[in-house]
Amino acid sequence: GLLVEIGKLKQYETFVPSQDKNKRFLGKTLGEISTQTDFFQFGYDHIIRKAKTIDVCWFNVRKMPSVLFEVEHSTDIQNSLLKFVELQDFNANFFIVADKVRKEEYIKKSSHHAFEPIKRRVQYLDYDKLSKWHAKTFEIASVENNLTY
């Protein structure tokens, strides 16, 4: 939910996959707070099928994927890295979001040679940093909305 809100505040179109649309966040479903109900068709069908499973997608004004997030609370980080490898030809940034205790696991798995093409584009974001990012983004958006031009 925080990722969807940050994306919206940053003027992205936001999408969560069908398997997560009914998950609750602050009294609403993720499907209700995301801006897109349908996934933009920005590539070949086999790529779209893979991309549709990403936990949170931010799309730019050209309806292209810009920032992709995989939230790894308990599932295997390697599976997320494999998804990102499949999407490496797009000009997108990738984030693994998880508890800070999983960072060593992320470092170990992302150091595999197979992930070399995306290594510089994947970032690890722990829940505490995500919470701070959300608070600061919300604060900045609030100030910007109160400016008079």
Side-chain angles (χ1 to χ4, degrees), residues 7-56:
K8 288 169 52 175
L9 289 168
K10 292 177 142 306
Q11 307 300 311
Y12 287 102
E13 295 290 330
T14 58
F15 178 85
V16 294
S18 57
Q19 69 264 21
D20 294 334
K21 285 192 185 295
N22 292 322
K23 290 184 179 177
R24 308 290 297 172
F25 177 73
L26 299 177
K28 294 185 176 181
T29 65
L30 293 178
E32 290 174 315
I33 65 168
S34 63
T35 61
Q36 283 303 122
T37 54
D38 296 318
F39 199 77
F40 292 123
Q41 301 297 311
F42 59 84
Y44 294 110
D45 288 344
H46 69 282
I47 292 173
I48 299 299
R49 277 193 301 278
K50 184 70 73 175
K52 278 181 164 179
T53 67
I54 301 284
D55 291 323
V56 177

Side-chain angles (χ1 to χ4, degrees), residues 55 69-81 83-84 95-99 102 105 124 127:
D55 291 323
F69 300 89
E70 277 286 274
V71 181
E72 295 303 342
H73 191 65
S74 60
T75 49
D76 191 347
I77 288 172
Q78 187 165 315
N79 291 336
S80 294
L81 293 169
K83 287 181 190 181
F84 293 157
F95 283 86
I96 300 288
V97 181
D99 193 291
R102 295 191 73 191
E105 176 188 355
Y124 188 86
Y127 298 140

